[in-house]
Amino acid sequence: MSVPGLLVAAPRSSSGKTTVTLALMRALARRGLSVRGAKCGPDYIDPAFHRAATGHPSFNLDSFAMPEPMLDAVAALAATNADLVVAEGSMGLFDGIVAAEGRTGANADIAARYGWPVILVLDVSGAAQSAAALALGCRAYDPRIRIAGVVLNKVASPRHRRLVEAGLSRIGMPVLGALMRDASLVLPERHLGLVQARETNDLEARLDRLADLAEAGLDLDAILAAAAGTAPSPGQGRLAPPPGQRIAIASDAAFSFLYPHMEAGWRSAGADLVAFSPLADEPPPSDCDACWLPGGYPELHAERLAQARGFLDGLRAFARDRPVHGECGGYMVLGESLEDAAGVTHPMAGLLPVATSYKARRLHLGYRVATLLADGVLGPAGTRLVGHEFHYASERSAAPTDETGLAAVTDAEGVPLGLAGHRRGQTTGSFFHLIG
């Protein structure tokens, strides 16, 4: 059976996509539908909220970072045992890199590839009829996609809604519902985006309130009727190979940013994934043959991690004869030291020659296309990998060399960025999160 989908997108960031997506997911799930989530682009926080809203895993879909066979394989995962896929966009509907059509990383690529109509979220605060001009531009910009209708967000009053709808009526754009301006709907945030789902207090109550608002303010029947397109059938494409047969994965409030499709790919290849908690002072299990430290928020837990002797000593022992890889936050913990926001320097594992600082904050954001310098757990020398970097930490130590670096990297458009990450023995790490 083909599984239809919808893409919830917006003309720009901070329009309310996540609010509308979660409200829609939870409301439809409460109706008894098997709803599955997806997230366009390199985001590792929103899929956890999707999972909380639907009760099922949510997967990232990235038209730039994922080779097409992988993209289709992940889309098939997203649609497994589903009645409907609800995908959430990132940034604006057409925002991406300059690349060949269909490979830009924009939300619109995903809608076009799988035939999913777009539910366009319009933040109408500070606008009335002019919101229709924005919707009209989105409808006309890309002939590959179809906008099924709009959801109005941050509506100030009934009169405000009538004025906005008057403009949308003029261009023949269906209004599929509206949410009033309500500061209590905003989910808590921190420096990398939303506070993680596992840390959000009263999340279930928040999701149920969003579902109540969707029932009251959105035309759920019309939205369901608009769903169309289809995802690939299971078994098509390929997923990422595992770094070992039995993989120890750090998992707690400090280490949580591992893309769901990576875990799914490892499991589909027959690997066993074994979670452990550095914050609970747990070492990587000794019966594993590889260790993976995902990204997260070690900078918020640096003192506790520095005092976790069982974890640090166990990690060092593990690394003597088995591969260890760290991404972003995991990379910071594999280094010599981590300076927190208050300027206090905490010793870390000392497995890589890098010192990082969260006090010296500078935004690092963007795709990274990496070519490995040497054989390792990520592949043989010369392997091309694509990942994404999003952090505020800085490296305070010497830059990597050909002998110590992990990879030569470029940005998404091929501009060289030098060497990134480090390697020492079988221990590797970098600030970019691997996607494809």
Side-chain angles (χ1 to χ4, degrees):
M1 288 181 60
S2 62
V3 178
L6 293 165
L7 172 65
V8 179
R12 61 174 178 82
S13 296
S14 302
S15 296
K17 296 187 298 292
T18 300
T19 297
V20 172
T21 299
L22 295 177
L24 184 59
M25 286 175 168
R26 188 66 156 214
L28 295 177
R30 288 200 317 197
R31 287 189 170 192
L33 291 171
S34 182
V35 182
R36 299 293 192 274
K39 176 68 180 184
C40 298
D43 183 296
Y44 25 68
I45 295 178
D46 288 347
F49 282 92
H50 296 174
R51 181 169 193 153
T54 67
H56 301 286
S58 174
F59 295 93
N60 298 79
L61 299 170
D62 194 313
S63 68
F64 171 76
M66 293 177 173
E68 290 185 347
M70 176 180 284
L71 182 59
D72 287 343
V74 178
L77 284 175
T80 300
N81 298 322
D83 295 320
L84 174 71
V85 176
V86 177
E88 179 185 353
S90 57
M91 301 186 295
L93 175 57
F94 307 107
D95 295 334
I97 65 160
V98 178
E101 183 175 87
R103 303 295 296 164
T104 70
N107 309 174
D109 287 348
I110 301 301
R113 186 175 186 87
Y114 302 117
W116 294 341
V118 174
I119 305 298
L120 191 69
V121 179
L122 294 179
D123 176 351
V124 296
S125 58
Q129 290 94 330
S130 295
L134 192 57
L136 180 62
C138 288
R139 185 171 68 185
Y141 185 80
D142 188 343
R144 299 177 303 158
I145 66 168
R146 178 173 70 85
I147 296 179
V150 300
V151 169
L152 310 181
N153 192 32
K154 300 183 183 178
V155 177
S157 65
R159 178 178 179 273
H160 182 208
R161 178 172 179 169
R162 288 196 301 272
L163 292 173
V164 176
E165 289 184 332
L168 292 163
S169 176
R170 179 175 172 179
I171 66 168
M173 178 68 73
V175 177
L176 299 174
L179 298 177
M180 303 301 288
R181 184 182 297 159
D182 186 345
S184 70
L185 297 181
V186 178
L187 291 164
E189 297 188 17
R190 60 161 65 108
H191 55 282
L192 295 182
L194 295 177
V195 171
Q196 298 175 87
R198 69 168 80 186
E199 298 178 75
T200 301
N201 295 329
D202 65 0
L203 179 57
E204 288 298 310
R206 285 176 178 267
L207 291 170
D208 284 334
R209 179 158 185 263
L210 287 174
D212 292 341
L213 293 173
E215 291 281 2
L218 305 184
D219 189 340
L220 295 177
D221 291 333
I223 291 172
L224 272 174
T230 186
S233 301
Q236 296 185 27
R238 64 166 183 82
L239 296 168
Q245 182 60 40
R246 187 170 172 83
I247 310 163
I249 300 178
S251 179
D252 54 30
F255 302 92
S256 60
F257 295 161
L258 180 59
Y259 288 116
H261 74 274
M262 298 295 292
E263 291 185 273
W266 296 348
R267 286 196 176 97
S268 70
D272 296 321
L273 278 56
V274 183
F276 71 99
S277 171
L279 288 179
D281 201 17
E282 296 174 355
S286 59
D287 61 350
C288 292
D289 57 9
C291 179
W292 195 276
L293 302 184
Y297 292 101
E299 64 271 19
L300 302 181
H301 306 276
E303 182 177 6
R304 188 171 167 187
L305 289 168
Q307 295 173 354
R309 305 314 307 174
F311 159 62
L312 292 173
D313 289 343
L315 183 65
R316 295 179 188 118
F318 192 100
R320 290 191 192 111
D321 56 6
R322 284 161 291 182
V324 176
H325 183 73
E327 294 187 321
C328 201
Y331 175 52
M332 296 164 72
V333 172
L334 289 174
E336 303 283 351
S337 63
L338 194 169
E339 183 183 30
D340 64 21
V344 178
T345 298
H346 304 274
M348 292 288 115
L351 292 170
L352 291 176
V354 61
T356 56
S357 171
Y358 181 62
K359 183 180 180 183
R361 288 177 51 142
R362 184 170 73 85
L363 176 62
H364 302 79
L365 175 65
Y367 288 113
R368 300 291 181 259
V369 180
T371 302
L372 296 179
L373 298 177
D375 297 348
V377 70
L378 300 184
T383 298
R384 179 184 182 274
L385 303 169
V386 183
H388 187 263
E389 193 170 333
F390 180 22
H391 63 93
Y392 288 90
S394 299
E395 294 190 36
R396 306 300 294 270
S397 45
T401 65
D402 288 342
E403 289 71 37
T404 64
L406 176 66
V409 298
T410 72
D411 68 11
E413 296 178 15
V415 176
L417 300 177
L419 302 183
H422 283 82
R423 70 184 195 274
R424 177 188 283 167
Q426 295 189 75
T427 299
T428 56
S430 73
F431 269 120
F432 66 80
H433 292 258
L434 185 62
I435 299 176

